[in-house]
Amino acid sequence: MTRKTISGLAAAMMLSTTILLAACSSNDKEEQASQPPASTQASGESPSASGGAPAETPAADPLGKYEEPITVTQVMGFNPPQDSKTPKGLTPEKNAYVSKLKEMLNIDLKYLWTVPSEQFDQKFALAVSSGDLPDVMSLKLLDFESFRQQDQLADLTEAYEKYASPTLKKYLESDGGRTLKMFTYDGKLLGLPSYEDPFMSSQILWIRQDWLDKLQLQPPTTLEELEQVAEAFVKNDPDGNNKNDTYGISMNKELISWGFDARGLFYTMGAYPKAWTKGSDGKLIPGEIQPETKAALEKMNDWYKKGILDKEFAFKDINKAVEDVVAGKVGITFGEWWDPEWPLNLSKEKDPKAEWKPFPLPSYNGNPGLTLVPGLRLNWVVTANKKMEHPEAVVKMANFYHEMWLPKYQEENKPENGYVYNWYEPRIYNPLNIDDLYTRVNAALKANQDTIDAENPEAPQLFANAKKFLSGDPDTTAWGFYNSRVKEDGGWGLTRKIKEEKKFVYNEFYGTPTPTQVERGSSLDKLTDETYLKIIMGSGKTDEFDKYADSWKKLGGDEIAEEVNAWYAERQ
Amino acid sequence: MVYKESLSRRAFHVVNVIVLSAITLMGFLPFVHLLAVSLSSNTYASAGEVTLWPKGFTTNAYQYMSENAAFFESLVVSLKRVAIGTVVNMLLVVMTAYPLSKENAKFQFRTVYVWFFAITMFFGGGLIPTYIVVKETGLLDSIWALVLPGALNVWYTVMLLNFFRSVPKDLEEAAIIDGAGHWSLIWRVYLPISIPAIATVLLFTVVGHWNSWFDGILYMNSPSNYPLQSYLSTLITAINVQIISVDSLAALQDLGEKTLRTAQIFMGALPIMIVYPFLQKYFVKGIVVGSVKE
């Protein structure tokens, strides 16, 4: 399992859940202002003007059927269908969404090629270089940027204004149009960004409550207390097997990755390596060379010597770190809200006594631990090829996807009927879906309902799992879902609190890599990773960090900082 | 006759057996481990507690694979590929190596051709130009895209032509006196005598075709045309992502990503492990099977 895969997993876990459906939930705290993204058409050369005849009618039907069938080409990277009831041998071409699209909108969806998602990037790069571009493309940020610079993307301003359904508008503008504005250049909307709630990345602390109870310890609220708990977990045999085989805090050789790593610890101490936070002078500063980072590394060095950190962590990849969590060798791990769904559920299955509980980042020197949150959490940008005859079809196709989740299609839209939702593109998700699910399911539980309305298609499953857990069923899947998505002091519940209490800082840089980053970024990252490991494992001297900071700046860091700040100034 | 071994010789034997056994185990144990993990329950596999014997024995991973039509579809593609690919490759390699093994006097432009082929060994067009060539020649999405681009392996050709050169000239002359032309020379003199070399190249080719996965992903436009290894590689990497929905999470509880992955790696390697011993015997026979005494 490669690192990429797992980060894909993490992203996908959230992603899948980030589905749909209108019906504003009562507690959407986000501003719902529907501010149109692009006010005026700056230039008259909108390619969509040459589009279909329907573009002339003012109040266009978001799902208007074309009189003559039109063909839209796509390419796709796909995963196996998630539902085991999906008919065997189904291919993306035979996906029922595709035939329904034809029936409802008279659009013939054609795939130039399909490939498993892991290989998509490579295959897509080949297609780009051989000049074979489809009409509709869901692009990563980097690809979007290069296509935009080469002027290959159609202007979707008019199509969006005329055809976007209320649902689509609601999702895309759920942050007050901030993200949509980012993809508007010279008044032209070039893509429909499918983004997510950035708070899904919040770091929290997962601790085994059963170990705390056994050793009669209180959950830590400060870093010092965390250290005491961790030391007790090392020395006092929390698993009661009379063997000295446990360590304190889970770590792996990638200090800054996607899970079971050192990010949470850095953030607790106000250090944000590999991120850009706002400094006191209003400029963005690189976290990896700040004094807070130095202090955090020294703390880790101390913990390493004390055995709180696994002595072998430098040889363990994420897989191995997870093995330790499941095998019960470690009782503390920094992670995210979804950890109970994987791998804590496996730990629970292995040892039913294991009771993992989430806690906010501890405070340090009297300051609360502030987690880092990305400025933008983007899955992909839906774009149309400039050469596409009917760019408005992109918007209609996105509308169609949301339409299909409405209750009236609920009987039809099922995996056993050949509907595979993750095989249909373009998909624009509800950025606030996890929160929506949380609210719905909790409301239904409080009202003591037997069933839940199906407006959010994921809600019934989640509700059933929550019920199952609350009825005392030992099923660890139900345990995982309840503890991550439903419980008020569970993974998502705690994440909401972090957001409400503003215990976070933004990573302010979320543009595409700057030229120097492209050129030097990977070697600088390598320098960073190696130095950090050396400092933690204690072979280095105390001034090692300062020497590193110097060379980091000289080897391109200063240029990167300039470029990043130029980007930042432009964004303001 | 009583043959008494000296002490040092006996010591050598003991060390020899120990070292060779250790090397054998190093190659063998990983497979045992794979097999054990693939037959274990997900929890034990994820906790890293399975070593050489399955824990929480289950055959779920193999059942899942056997129920999966795509696995067998891609197996068929793979077998087709190995069959066609090996025949084409071997023919081309032999037909190229034979003339190039002749002296300059017999084949004037030999050096030119050798250089021509040698250059392709060191300089390739790279991924994108190769892809474009395959695309423009209309091979995309057909089995030929997997066979033709690498059909003539220059490295094997060089190996074989060197082998041909080591065949005693007298043998060739004798055959020519008996009235043999080049065709008869290839088929009736050179090939039978070169069985060890041919077997080596054959094994490399078969293994190469069997293990190759990247070109399948590159040149095939839909996964139903994937050879087995391409299919496996997609499953192996994609299975994690399934964790996302409630249903698949439940399924993954008893069928772990790790067990499934190991089961597939094991199944993918099995055919080669079966074939290998049968070709192995040709390597150990020694190189020239002499028929002329000098």
Side-chain angles (χ1 to χ4, degrees):
Chain A
M1 192 151 51
T2 61
R3 176 177 160 264
K4 214 180 135 193
T5 323
I6 278 282
S7 53
L9 174 159
M13 279 174 82
M14 288 144 208
L15 207 167
S16 76
T17 47
T18 318
I19 317 183
L20 328 175
L21 268 246
C24 198
S25 72
S26 52
N27 75 332
D28 267 356
K29 294 213 161 44
E30 296 285 324
E31 198 188 343
Q32 292 286 347
S34 45
Q35 162 207 342
S39 40
T40 47
Q41 201 90 338
S43 80
E45 47 177 77
S46 153
S48 65
S50 65
E56 264 71 61
T57 43
D61 177 4
L63 291 165
K65 186 170 180 174
Y66 288 95
E67 273 168 28
E68 292 295 313
I70 66 162
T71 303
V72 172
T73 57
Q74 274 191 348
V75 299
M76 185 168 59
F78 69 99
N79 293 312
Q82 286 163 10
D83 199 301
S84 51
K85 293 192 283 293
T86 309
K88 294 218 182 319
L90 195 73
T91 58
E93 292 83 2
K94 289 188 214 142
N95 191 355
Y97 273 103
V98 175
S99 40
K100 189 77 184 178
L101 181 72
K102 165 83 178 164
E103 184 194 313
M104 203 187 279
L105 295 177
N106 216 1
I107 295 176
D108 276 316
L109 197 54
K110 245 186 73 190
Y111 291 106
L112 297 181
W113 46 263
T114 55
V115 71
S117 349
E118 281 296 305
Q119 274 76 38
F120 182 82
D121 290 350
Q122 191 118 27
K123 184 112 183 170
F124 188 65
L126 277 174
V128 171
S129 56
S130 64
D132 250 357
L133 289 184
D135 291 333
V136 180
M137 297 174 279
S138 297
L139 298 175
K140 301 213 167 109
L141 195 53
L142 197 64
D143 288 326
F144 173 82
E145 201 54 31
S146 71
F147 280 33
R148 180 183 74 81
Q149 280 164 15
Q150 293 162 25
D151 195 24
Q152 304 216 35
L153 301 177
D155 179 2
L156 298 175
T157 320
E158 202 185 323
Y160 179 76
E161 277 170 10
K162 274 195 184 154
Y163 290 98
S165 68
T167 311
L168 183 64
K169 281 201 164 133
K170 179 182 160 233
Y171 292 169
L172 280 173
E173 291 160 29
S174 69
D175 61 352
R178 174 173 157 264
T179 309
L180 211 51
K181 219 167 112 194
M182 276 182 53
F183 292 92
T184 308
Y185 295 81
D186 301 328
K188 288 189 206 168
L189 179 66
L190 295 184
L192 311 176
S194 179
Y195 61 97
E196 288 176 336
D197 187 349
F199 287 90
M200 292 216 234
S201 305
S202 304
Q203 286 290 301
I204 51 182
L205 195 56
W206 289 95
I207 302 184
R208 275 188 72 162
Q209 183 68 42
D210 57 319
W211 285 15
L212 286 176
D213 293 345
K214 187 158 199 297
L215 303 179
Q216 292 172 331
L217 294 165
Q218 287 305 309
T221 53
T222 67
L223 193 68
E224 289 70 32
E225 287 171 17
L226 176 66
E227 183 171 336
Q228 283 160 15
V229 168
E231 268 193 296
F233 280 7
V234 179
K235 290 181 185 150
N236 300 349
D237 191 27
D239 55 351
N241 64 353
N242 291 321
K243 274 190 250 170
N244 185 19
D245 59 351
T246 48
Y247 58 94
I249 300 177
S250 160
M251 271 266 257
N252 72 83
K253 63 180 174 185
E254 282 181 76
L255 299 173
I256 301 146
S257 51
W258 56 267
F260 326 102
D261 56 357
R263 275 176 309 165
L265 189 53
F266 278 119
Y267 300 167
T268 300
M269 297 179 68
Y272 302 96
K274 297 192 185 172
W276 299 83
T277 50
K278 214 193 277 188
S280 48
D281 59 351
K283 281 195 165 176
L284 299 190
I285 51 169
E288 48 265 65
I289 56 169
Q290 303 306 318
E292 289 86 359
T293 308
K294 182 178 177 180
L297 287 169
E298 276 160 9
K299 178 61 82 185
M300 285 185 233
N301 172 242
D302 182 39
W303 285 9
Y304 181 77
K305 284 188 211 144
K306 288 183 179 158
I308 291 175
L309 303 181
D310 181 12
K311 286 275 179 211
E312 286 163 21
F313 87 90
F315 305 103
K316 288 189 174 170
D317 59 11
I318 289 176
N319 261 331
K320 284 278 170 201
V322 166
E323 276 183 8
D324 287 349
V325 171
V326 177
K329 287 191 184 144
V330 61
I332 306 173
T333 178
F334 288 98
E336 288 168 15
W337 63 272
W338 48 264
D339 280 18
E341 284 163 35
W342 185 91
L344 301 187
N345 59 334
L346 295 174
S347 157
K348 181 85 185 163
E349 171 141 343
K350 181 92 201 324
D351 177 5
K353 286 198 296 297
E355 198 51 63
W356 290 90
K357 285 223 170 107
F359 300 95
L361 295 181
S363 63
Y364 172 63
N365 281 349
N367 299 319
L370 305 181
T371 182
L372 187 76
V373 167
L376 170 68
R377 211 181 135 110
L378 183 82
N379 298 312
W380 51 71
V381 192
V382 175
T383 62
N385 193 326
K386 200 165 186 174
K387 296 187 194 122
M388 186 178 176
E389 225 181 300
H390 297 275
E392 78 286 348
V394 179
V395 178
K396 286 185 173 182
M397 283 159 72
N399 294 336
F400 162 79
Y401 181 67
H402 297 140
E403 172 79 9
M404 286 309 293
W405 287 100
L406 291 181
K408 60 176 160 173
Y409 300 105
Q410 214 94 82
E411 271 314 298
E412 186 186 350
N413 185 2
K414 281 184 173 160
E416 48 267 50
N417 295 336
Y419 282 87
V420 182
Y421 84 86
N422 55 338
W423 283 0
Y424 176 80
E425 285 180 8
R427 297 195 299 277
I428 310 254
Y429 290 128
N430 177 3
L432 304 175
N433 183 56
I434 295 289
D435 208 63
D436 182 50
L437 278 172
Y438 175 90
T439 330
R440 279 173 196 281
V441 173
N442 271 308
L445 286 175
K446 275 205 188 103
N448 230 342
Q449 279 168 235
D450 287 332
T451 53
I452 191 167
D453 66 82
E455 261 183 302
N456 186 322
E458 280 188 295
Q461 276 182 319
L462 188 57
F463 184 69
N465 270 285
K467 279 263 182 191
K468 201 169 167 189
F469 172 79
L470 291 171
S471 71
D473 193 305
D475 181 54
T476 52
T477 310
W479 177 88
F481 277 106
Y482 184 78
N483 275 281
S484 61
R485 296 181 197 218
V486 182
K487 202 175 170 190
E488 285 189 6
D489 53 356
W492 186 250
L494 183 63
T495 304
R496 280 168 60 105
K497 235 168 94 187
I498 290 171
K499 183 178 178 181
E500 277 161 25
E501 293 172 0
K502 298 218 173 354
K503 287 192 177 157
F504 62 88
V505 290
Y506 273 119
N507 181 2
E508 302 278 356
F509 179 66
Y510 41 87
T512 48
T514 69
T516 317
Q517 266 179 336
V518 170
E519 194 188 330
R520 307 267 180 81
S522 62
S523 50
L524 282 177
D525 279 350
K526 206 172 154 216
L527 177 73
T528 305
D529 296 340
E530 280 171 4
T531 316
Y532 285 10
L533 277 186
K534 242 177 28 199
I535 295 175
I536 295 172
M537 297 177 71
S539 63
K541 290 156 231 85
T542 37
D543 62 342
E544 183 116 14
F545 186 84
D546 304 317
K547 258 197 295 185
Y548 150 78
D550 265 357
S551 22
W552 188 87
K553 285 188 194 167
K554 276 191 208 123
L555 293 172
D558 277 341
E559 278 136 290
I560 293 176
E562 257 171 52
E563 290 163 351
V564 165
N565 274 297
W567 173 90
Y568 187 59
E570 213 178 285
R571 279 274 150 218
Q572 292 309 297
Chain B
M1 190 183 94
V2 182
Y3 176 74
K4 196 141 194 300
E5 289 185 325
S6 69
L7 189 67
S8 61
R9 176 136 187 106
R10 265 185 292 165
F12 169 75
H13 271 302
V14 172
V15 172
N16 212 6
V17 167
I18 291 172
V19 170
L20 287 181
S21 310
I23 292 173
T24 314
L25 281 181
M26 276 161 63
F28 187 63
L29 291 183
F31 277 106
V32 178
H33 173 69
L34 275 185
L35 188 61
V37 171
S38 70
L39 290 170
S40 298
S41 82
N42 181 30
T43 327
Y44 289 110
S46 318
E49 289 184 354
V50 181
T51 46
L52 295 178
W53 196 253
K55 270 191 164 180
F57 183 85
T58 166
T59 54
N60 279 348
Y62 290 93
Q63 268 166 19
Y64 175 87
M65 274 165 67
S66 64
E67 281 164 13
N68 200 334
F71 181 84
F72 292 101
E73 270 173 28
S74 59
L75 182 69
V76 170
V77 175
S78 249
L79 292 175
K80 224 163 97 183
R81 170 183 187 164
V82 169
I84 300 177
T86 311
V87 170
V88 170
N89 290 19
M90 292 307 290
L91 269 178
L92 284 178
V93 168
V94 171
M95 306 281 282
T96 316
Y98 175 75
L100 294 183
S101 69
K102 301 295 166 207
E103 311 87 49
N104 275 332
K106 279 194 179 167
F107 180 24
Q108 277 188 345
F109 300 106
R110 197 188 75 100
T111 333
V112 179
Y113 281 103
V114 171
W115 274 109
F116 180 78
F117 285 122
I119 285 171
T120 67
M121 272 170 81
F122 302 107
F123 304 98
L127 191 60
I128 290 165
T130 314
Y131 176 81
I132 294 177
V133 169
V134 172
K135 179 176 161 247
E136 294 299 319
T137 42
L139 295 179
L140 280 190
D141 234 9
S142 85
I143 189 111
W144 296 104
L146 306 176
V147 171
L148 292 185
L152 178 68
N153 186 308
V154 181
W155 177 244
Y156 298 160
T157 311
V158 171
M159 270 171 60
L160 206 60
L161 86 85
N162 277 329
F163 195 90
F164 284 164
R165 272 193 211 165
S166 70
V167 172
K169 287 282 143 314
D170 314 11
L171 210 59
E172 187 183 326
E173 280 161 24
I176 291 173
I177 290 168
D178 284 347
H182 283 299
W183 279 112
S184 321
L185 273 177
I186 296 187
W187 296 113
R188 297 172 66 181
V189 176
Y190 278 90
L191 283 189
I193 222 170
S194 314
I195 282 177
I198 299 278
T200 312
V201 173
L202 185 73
L203 181 73
F204 286 171
T205 312
V206 170
V207 173
H209 274 298
W210 183 263
N211 282 347
S212 160
W213 59 276
F214 187 60
D215 49 357
I217 283 159
L218 219 52
Y219 299 137
M220 296 297 146
N221 280 346
S222 80
S224 54
N225 286 336
Y226 279 179
L228 187 61
Q229 303 293 343
S230 307
Y231 167 74
L232 289 186
S233 80
T234 65
L235 261 195
I236 288 164
T237 47
I239 196 80
N240 307 304
V241 179
Q242 291 195 333
I243 300 179
I244 50 193
S245 86
V246 179
D247 268 5
S248 44
L249 204 102
L252 270 172
Q253 289 275 314
D254 38 280
L255 173 70
E257 157 269 322
K258 198 165 177 178
T259 51
L260 188 54
R261 184 166 41 139
T262 45
Q264 280 157 346
I265 294 171
F266 191 79
M267 286 295 280
L270 201 59
I272 289 297
M273 285 196 283
I274 293 171
V275 171
Y276 199 84
F278 293 101
L279 288 169
Q280 167 80 7
K281 63 178 181 188
Y282 291 105
F283 312 149
V284 287
K285 260 192 184 165
I287 295 301
V288 177
V289 185
S291 51
V292 173
K293 295 224 164 82
E294 306 227 10

